[in-house]
Amino acid sequence: MSIIQRAAWVSAVGVSIVVGGGAANAEASEVRLGGAGATFPAPLYTKWVAEYEKVAPGVRIDYRSIGSGGGVKAITDKTVAFGASDAPLTKREIEAMGGPDKIIQIPAVIGGVVPAYNVPGLSQPLNFSGEVLADIFLGKISTWDDPRLQELNSGVSLPKLDITPAFRTDGSGTTHVFSSYLATQSPTFKGEVGAGKQVKWPLGQGGKGNEGVAAVIQQTAGSIGYIEQNYAVANKIAYGAVRNKSGKFVLATPETMSVAGEGAATTLQGTVLRADIWDQPGDSTYPISAFTYIILYKDLVNLKTESEAKALVNFLNWATGDGQKFANQMDYAPLSSGVKKAVDAALSTLTHNGKPVK
């Protein structure tokens, strides 16, 4: 099963796995946790759930890949144990959850949003700049043989083929990351489209979730869209290098995304942790990198029992600790030691009915 197929399945039915069994684990087997949100890290979260079953008998975890907007709504409504979003909470969203002293937001991993495309006949990755990407999605560059694209790709024979931009139709942290980056590269894009989890794209074809946009790209010759790098790699979709702040064309890899996150540790303070890591300096930095976040209530009032609270805290400590070793395997970048220290401090403040969760 491809990652696109698997993610579509996850979106429909969630990741639902009972861990362990037998009479000795009868009580533990009844511990169930639900999470929902971002599609960006869904393949890794699927892997985490599958691996966690090996170390935590009796825990059932259900993660629904419904998009960052859906994840924020679900945790705000207290219908899940945790929410997941590629976009950090806004001030309004924080207030809707009771204010900054009531919530915890932690980076879970680093990912990269890539310009993925379907241009027949090419044998090497294309180069893009932020300005050119902005003008493609504004409709100002409409064919692949445009002189500005040709200038960035000297020696490559680009076809006279119409460009079809592909975009997310749902509330999406991936859209937040990509549109925020483009807004730093083009004043026109910032003014006409702006940045956010859901923006009004002037043209193109939409798809739901990273998997939906990936499907549009695969099915449409001449298309270009923005998806998480893991989806591109796993499904053999071509994606390009992006010119960074140092003027270097860099492909998204765990190493180049990790460089983007290295400087963030000193800015992560308190329990509502956030840092925008796109367009960071450095010759080897991939410029459209971002944290993806897990969102919780500081006092786990949305969980009924102490057993549920302990199971959730144990899972999150494992995911941001030992679970990070699976990030590189799936083309994400693990949290640096400095970021991990800030995450550990935030998680240590979790309580259930006012009592610390050990």
Side-chain angles (χ1 to χ4, degrees), residues 202-290:
L203 76 165
Q205 186 174 342
K208 185 177 181 180
N210 272 286
E211 63 274 13
V213 175
V216 171
I217 297 166
Q218 288 180 311
Q219 296 164 11
T220 310
S223 60
I224 180 171
Y226 56 95
I227 58 175
E228 199 274 319
Q229 187 236 9
N230 178 274
Y231 285 85
V233 171
N235 292 278
K236 297 181 173 58
I237 301 173
Y239 64 95
V242 182
R243 189 166 63 194
N244 65 18
K245 221 168 194 177
S246 299
K248 307 294 185 182
F249 291 101
V250 178
L251 283 167
T253 67
E255 293 74 24
T256 61
M257 293 183 292
S258 180
V259 173
E262 279 181 3
T266 57
T267 68
L268 297 173
Q269 298 180 1
T271 60
V272 185
L273 306 178
R274 65 160 291 167
D276 298 332
I277 60 172
W278 50 80
D279 202 31
Q280 293 296 302
D283 285 358
S284 61
T285 301
Y286 180 68
I288 322 181
S289 301

Side-chain angles (χ1 to χ4, degrees), residues 1 42 46 51 75 101 130 164 178 185 192 195 199 207 257 264 285 293 314 334:
M1 180 183 291
T46 302
E51 292 295 328
I75 188 64
D101 59 331
T164 301
F178 191 65
Q185 304 298 299
E192 294 185 10
V199 298
M257 293 183 292
T285 301
Y293 299 91
N314 287 339

Side-chain angles (χ1 to χ4, degrees), residues 3-339:
I3 281 188
I4 288 179
Q5 292 170 322
R6 181 173 62 188
W9 172 76
V10 168
S11 179
V13 301
V15 177
S16 188
I17 298 177
V18 178
V19 184
N25 292 320
E27 181 179 352
S29 67
E30 297 177 1
V31 176
R32 300 184 178 188
L33 302 173
T39 67
F40 182 91
L44 179 60
Y45 289 2
T46 302
K47 178 69 172 177
W48 278 350
V49 169
E51 292 295 328
Y52 192 64
E53 71 177 340
K54 301 173 185 177
V55 296
V59 178
R60 179 186 176 105
I61 300 174
D62 173 28
Y63 180 74
R64 291 182 295 125
S65 172
I66 60 173
S68 295
V72 172
K73 185 179 188 305
I75 188 64
T76 302
D77 294 343
K78 301 178 181 177
T79 59
V80 292
F82 65 94
S85 175
D86 301 324
L89 293 170
T90 65
K91 183 177 180 181
R92 178 179 295 181
E93 290 167 342
I94 291 171
E95 292 305 319
M97 292 182 66
D101 59 331
K102 300 293 185 182
I103 64 172
I104 286 177
Q105 175 178 266
I106 58 168
V109 74
I110 300 171
V113 180
V114 299
Y117 53 85
N118 180 348
V119 183
L122 299 183
S123 59
Q124 65 189 71
L126 292 176
N127 291 331
F128 298 95
S129 66
E131 301 92 331
V132 163
L133 285 171
D135 280 351
I136 287 173
F137 280 84
L138 287 169
K140 297 180 183 297
I141 295 177
S142 59
T143 61
W144 283 100
D145 63 347
D146 185 280
R148 292 175 63 191
L149 274 167
Q150 195 67 72
E151 183 181 359
L152 296 176
N153 294 277
S154 178
V156 178
S157 179
L158 293 170
K160 187 172 182 59
L161 177 65
D162 288 343
I163 296 176
T164 301
F167 56 85
R168 289 282 291 271
T169 56
D170 53 322
S172 156
T174 308
T175 297
H176 166 78
V177 172
F178 191 65
S179 62
S180 294
Y181 168 71
L182 294 186
T184 69
Q185 304 298 299
S186 166
T188 303
F189 184 92
K190 183 177 181 180
E192 294 185 10
V193 177
K197 288 196 285 287
Q198 198 158 22
V199 298
K200 188 173 182 180
W201 298 101
L203 76 165
Q205 186 174 342
K208 185 177 181 180
N210 272 286
E211 63 274 13
V213 175
V216 171
I217 297 166
Q218 288 180 311
Q219 296 164 11
T220 310
S223 60
I224 180 171
Y226 56 95
I227 58 175
E228 199 274 319
Q229 187 236 9
N230 178 274
Y231 285 85
V233 171
N235 292 278
K236 297 181 173 58
I237 301 173
Y239 64 95
V242 182
R243 189 166 63 194
N244 65 18
K245 221 168 194 177
S246 299
K248 307 294 185 182
F249 291 101
V250 178
L251 283 167
T253 67
E255 293 74 24
T256 61
M257 293 183 292
S258 180
V259 173
E262 279 181 3
T266 57
T267 68
L268 297 173
Q269 298 180 1
T271 60
V272 185
L273 306 178
R274 65 160 291 167
D276 298 332
I277 60 172
W278 50 80
D279 202 31
Q280 293 296 302
D283 285 358
S284 61
T285 301
Y286 180 68
I288 322 181
S289 301
F291 288 124
T292 188
Y293 299 91
I294 287 175
I295 303 161
L296 313 147
Y297 284 98
K298 185 177 290 188
D299 189 63
L300 297 169
V301 293
N302 49 326
L303 299 182
K304 294 179 180 179
T305 68
E306 184 180 0
S307 294
E308 290 174 339
K310 287 182 177 180
L312 177 60
V313 173
N314 287 339
F315 171 67
L316 293 175
N317 280 323
W318 177 89
T320 58
D322 288 348
Q324 292 289 302
K325 66 187 177 186
F326 299 106
N328 272 326
Q329 298 175 16
M330 302 190 69
D331 296 296
Y332 298 87
L335 302 177
S336 70
S337 59
V339 175

